[in-house]
């Protein structure tokens, strides 16, 4: 199994701040890293596929970068509606595709 | 319009078998590249990928639950069924099904169904 480690586990930032969340898989996964956003009481929503491919309708303030064993989700200017828990997930080779433990993002 | 809906019991006794059904519309599991996956989330905890069935009837499971999980499809009914045997209170979770475009792109999700395992 590929283990996914996210940091930090929680984060508090102000509106307008630049926010970054890191994900580190336990082995090289090339670019096969996805990011999901989950708001309280809701199903997860796919934000970014394969490191940096922003899904349709996702605001451009979200971006992803990285390769191998080091990936980052960045929100360039935090908005109140971005309050959520963010999960990384690998999609390297065949399933199973494990998730990270999540990063809870709050507004200061 | 793609929709998915999970259904099943809200309460299951320990050692019983949990059977969940994902009923979907707006796509076909006979179409190349289409998949349905099951993911669960214990209260207040992280997402856990459980199983996937694809257009070619290939099935994949998380190793930690491989001996207890079975995923199957009925394309005529547009349904995917997940069974989990010998449930335990640690299996208490919201269970989601999601459409996969390819094995990896989960673009539509159901609302989830909360299953509690308790005597």
């Amino acid at each position: 199994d590929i283990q996914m480690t996210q940091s930090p586990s929680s984060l508090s930032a102000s509106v307008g701040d630049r926010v970054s969340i890191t994900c580190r898989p336990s082995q090289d996964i090339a670019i096969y890293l996805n990011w999901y956003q989950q708001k309280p009481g809701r199903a997860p929503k796919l934000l970014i596929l394969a490191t940096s491919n922003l899904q349709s309708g996702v605001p451009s303030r979200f971006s992803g970068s990285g390769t191998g064993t080091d990936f980052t989700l960045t929100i360039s200017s935090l908005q109140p509606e971005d309050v959520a828990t963010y999960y990384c997930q690998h999609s390297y080779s065949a399933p199973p595709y494990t998730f990270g433990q999540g990063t809870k993002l709050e507004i200061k | 319009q793609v929709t998915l809906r999970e259904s099943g019991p809200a309460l299951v006794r320990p050692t019983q078998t949990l059977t969940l059904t994902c009923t979907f519309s707006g796509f076909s599991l006979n179409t190349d590249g289409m998949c349905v996956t099951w993911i669960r989330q214990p209260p207040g905890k992280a997402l856990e990928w459980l199983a996937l069935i694809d257009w070619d009837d290939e099935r994949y499971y998380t190793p930690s639950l491989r001996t207890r999980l079975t995923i199957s499809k009925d394309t005529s009914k547009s349904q995917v069924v997940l069974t989990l045997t010998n449930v335990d209170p640690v299996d208490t979770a919201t269970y989601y099904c999601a459409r996969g475009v390819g094995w990896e792109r989960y673009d539509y999700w159901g609302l989830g169904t909360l299953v509690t395992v308790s005597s």
Side-chain angles (χ1 to χ4, degrees), chain B residues 33-71:
Chain B
M34 290 297 153
C35 310
V36 169
T37 189
W38 283 94
I39 290 158
R40 73 179 180 180
Q41 185 172 37
K45 296 188 177 181
L47 302 169
E48 180 181 19
W49 190 98
L50 296 178
L52 178 145
I53 190 164
D54 72 14
W55 69 98
D56 208 24
D57 207 31
E58 293 293 325
R59 305 161 196 219
Y60 301 90
Y61 299 94
T62 187
S64 62
L65 295 171
R66 176 60 187 93
T67 59
R68 298 172 52 210
L69 282 171
T70 303
I71 192 169

Side-chain angles (χ1 to χ4, degrees), chain A residues 1 34 36 38 42-44 46 49 55 87 89 91 93-102, chain B residues 39 41 45-49 52 60-64 96 103-107 109-112:
Chain A
D1 279 22
N34 313 316
Y36 288 83
Q38 187 180 31
R42 306 285 296 274
L46 178 62
L49 188 71
Q55 296 301 285
Y87 293 93
Q89 180 205 29
S91 52
S93 188
Y97 294 151
T98 46
F99 289 92
Q101 80 275 22
Chain B
I39 290 158
Q41 185 172 37
K45 296 188 177 181
L47 302 169
E48 180 181 19
W49 190 98
L52 178 145
Y60 301 90
Y61 299 94
T62 187
S64 62
Y96 295 100
W103 291 332
E104 70 282 359
R105 183 168 169 254
Y106 306 153
D107 58 352
W109 294 61
L111 296 178

Side-chain angles (χ1 to χ4, degrees), chain B:
Chain B
Q1 181 188 3
V2 174
T3 65
L4 301 99
R5 178 174 50 87
E6 305 88 351
S7 59
L11 178 66
V12 185
R13 307 298 182 192
T15 76
Q16 289 186 334
T17 294
L18 169 65
T19 299
L20 295 171
T21 301
C22 178
T23 303
F24 57 88
S25 64
F27 69 99
S28 171
L29 265 179
N30 286 327
T31 301
D32 280 3
M34 290 297 153
C35 310
V36 169
T37 189
W38 283 94
I39 290 158
R40 73 179 180 180
Q41 185 172 37
K45 296 188 177 181
L47 302 169
E48 180 181 19
W49 190 98
L50 296 178
L52 178 145
I53 190 164
D54 72 14
W55 69 98
D56 208 24
D57 207 31
E58 293 293 325
R59 305 161 196 219
Y60 301 90
Y61 299 94
T62 187
S64 62
L65 295 171
R66 176 60 187 93
T67 59
R68 298 172 52 210
L69 282 171
T70 303
I71 192 169
S72 62
K73 63 179 179 175
D74 185 334
T75 52
S76 66
K77 294 182 179 178
S78 294
Q79 291 181 333
V80 169
V81 175
L82 183 77
T83 63
L84 178 65
T85 62
N86 191 27
V87 297
D88 180 270
V90 300
D91 296 312
T92 294
T94 296
Y95 287 74
Y96 295 100
C97 64
R99 182 182 84 156
V101 179
W103 291 332
E104 70 282 359
R105 183 168 169 254
Y106 306 153
D107 58 352
Y108 288 91
W109 294 61
L111 296 178
T113 186
L114 175 62
V115 178
T116 300
V117 180
S118 176
S119 54

Side-chain angles (χ1 to χ4, degrees), chain A residues 9-30:
Chain A
S9 55
S10 64
L11 177 57
S12 182
S14 300
V15 172
D17 282 355
R18 183 181 182 88
V19 170
S20 292
I21 298 169
T22 297
C23 181
R24 292 193 170 92
S26 58
Q27 68 179 68
D28 188 336
I29 60 168

Side-chain angles (χ1 to χ4, degrees), chain A residues 37-97:
Chain A
Q37 175 193 64
Q38 187 180 31
K39 296 185 177 181
R42 306 285 296 274
K45 173 187 175 183
L46 178 62
L47 294 179
I48 290 173
L49 188 71
T51 296
S52 59
N53 291 290
L54 209 63
Q55 296 301 285
S56 175
V58 175
S60 59
R61 62 181 179 273
F62 289 91
S63 64
S65 62
T67 187
T69 58
D70 195 358
F71 298 86
T72 302
L73 172 69
T74 300
I75 306 173
S76 60
S77 177
L78 185 65
Q79 299 302 304
E81 59 266 33
D82 300 335
V83 168
T85 299
Y86 293 84
Y87 293 93
C88 63
Q89 180 205 29
H90 84 84
S91 52
Y92 179 75
S93 188
Y97 294 151

